Amino acid sequence: MIVFITGASAGFGAAMARTFVRNGHKAILAARRTDRIADLAKELGDSALAVTLDVTSRASIDAALAGLPEGWRDIDVLVNNAGLALNTLPAHEVPLDDWDTMIATNCQGLVTMTRAVLPGMVARGSGLVINLGSVAGHYPYPGGNVYGATKAFVEQFTLNLRADLVGTGVRATNLAPGLCGGTEFSNVRFHGDDAAAAKVYEGTVPLTAEDIANTAYWIATLPAHINVNSIELMPTCQGFSPFTIKRS
């Protein structure tokens, strides 16, 4: 199969690329950081293709897809992995630019990418869209504000895709991880503050990027009549918070 992975330069995306290629499939590595995806493509060999892509730019998406060589155009699996969280400040303090960036990437970029690839899948009568959601889209927490809202959007968009795709042979899954370490996620969220990022995982055994990659691979290799609507994963060290109560 041919798997198109956005945000493939690090974290979940890079782990997914390695997992699919290791199991005999072809991976299109799409990201803004050309040097990183070029290095990863070199590591993975002829079964990987590096494509420079910014999901927040419709022109970039169109150019990337139009530039795919023969033998790489019939995408079987689209993994909408590109996304980010920025800040944990409360809603009345967080910079509006951080909200705008999350919405542009996690929502607008994801739907634009999906709309560009979906017609080909429907025409061929098969395909799978895996959208990277988050437990933050299911459970609120202080500082989650717009990040959690974007992931709730991903969940509902995925379910609505399923409603439209019934009978087409095209599947859609929301893959929603909990606490996951070993990626750039928290470093990005805290704008490069390594100490703050490290504190998130202090004393925990979180999920890994490989755990998420293996889950995506399992979903993609299920029989064609099975659709995983949504799958949520947490490490055993993570649970659910009590309600916040303000006491006077």
Side-chain angles (χ1 to χ4, degrees), residues 52-69:
T52 303
L53 173 71
D54 179 357
V55 298
T56 66
S57 165
R58 185 172 177 178
S60 176
I61 291 172
D62 291 343
L65 292 174
L68 292 176

Side-chain angles (χ1 to χ4, degrees), residues 140-192:
Y141 61 88
N145 44 70
V146 163
Y147 174 68
T150 64
K151 293 304 183 178
F153 174 91
V154 171
E155 166 82 359
Q156 191 62 30
F157 176 66
T158 307
L159 294 177
N160 280 323
L161 278 180
R162 283 288 305 127
D164 287 342
L165 294 171
V166 171
T168 65
V170 182
R171 300 176 289 167
T173 298
N174 177 52
L175 171 51
L179 184 70
C180 190
T183 73
E184 299 176 340
F185 178 83
S186 287
N187 298 78
V188 171
R189 184 168 210 168
F190 292 106
H191 294 283

